[in-house]
Amino acid sequence: MSLRPVALAGLIGPSLLLVLAACNEAPTSPTLSIGPAEAPPIADLVVQFDQDATDPNGDPLTTTLTWEVDRGFEGGFEEADITGSVVPSSLTEKGQSWRVTAVTSDGVEVAAETATAEITILNTPPVVRTLRLTPESVDTFGTFRATVLADDV
């Protein structure tokens, strides 16, 4: 908090009376990103503060995060019931877009701009669980049949 002259109250004898008022300046917003950068549906989403918020008066800051998800339905983003900086992978699906918004306050003022970051959950290749070739042996020009059991996350 800083003090600034706001008015001259007048002369008192040979002295000048100066009125000072306490002024608070709003904090800056942080810069955010969401990791991992190429988000598969099997990874937790984590908000990363690439640049911290600052307060010109040195006041302590609080930052509130709000997560939103766009599941591809009409209406776009909707607020997700998540507190904190991590979205568990159990809540993500390929094709979804996730957005986090950070609002920073010094207890008196809120940053003029909110910080946001957005990421889309990517597709991942299937995971082969088993591969079976039949018959077990063939001649030089024989034919194999492959049976594959795979999971698509």
Side-chain angles (χ1 to χ4, degrees):
M1 192 170 301
S2 59
L3 298 176
R4 295 190 181 160
V6 293
L8 292 176
L11 293 173
I12 303 175
S15 302
L16 178 66
L17 177 63
L18 182 62
V19 176
L20 298 176
C23 298
N24 184 61
E25 296 178 63
T28 64
S29 295
T31 303
L32 306 176
S33 62
I34 301 172
E38 297 195 8
I42 57 173
D44 292 345
L45 300 180
V46 180
V47 66
Q48 298 165 351
F49 288 81
D50 301 324
Q51 182 175 336
D52 290 332
T54 60
D55 187 78
N57 309 108
D59 297 329
L61 299 175
T62 58
T63 300
T64 304
L65 299 175
T66 303
W67 287 93
E68 297 173 291
V69 59
D70 183 349
R71 294 182 172 92
F73 304 124
E74 200 171 309
F77 282 93
E78 60 185 49
E79 192 168 332
D81 187 24
I82 296 170
T83 57
S85 60
V86 177
V87 175
S89 63
S90 61
L91 299 179
T92 66
E93 295 177 10
K94 63 184 173 188
Q96 290 179 332
S97 292
W98 284 83
R99 178 169 54 204
V100 63
T101 302
V103 177
T104 302
S105 171
D106 65 5
V108 177
E109 298 214 29
V110 174
E113 296 181 12
T114 58
T116 61
E118 191 172 314
I119 197 164
T120 299
I121 307 300
L122 302 176
N123 193 8
T124 55
V127 176
V128 175
R129 298 291 177 208
T130 60
L131 171 64
R132 191 176 74 187
L133 298 174
T134 55
E136 289 184 18
S137 64
V138 293
D139 296 334
T140 304
F141 297 103
T143 303
F144 278 109
R145 171 176 275 217
T147 304
V148 178
L149 177 62
D151 294 328
D152 189 12
V153 183

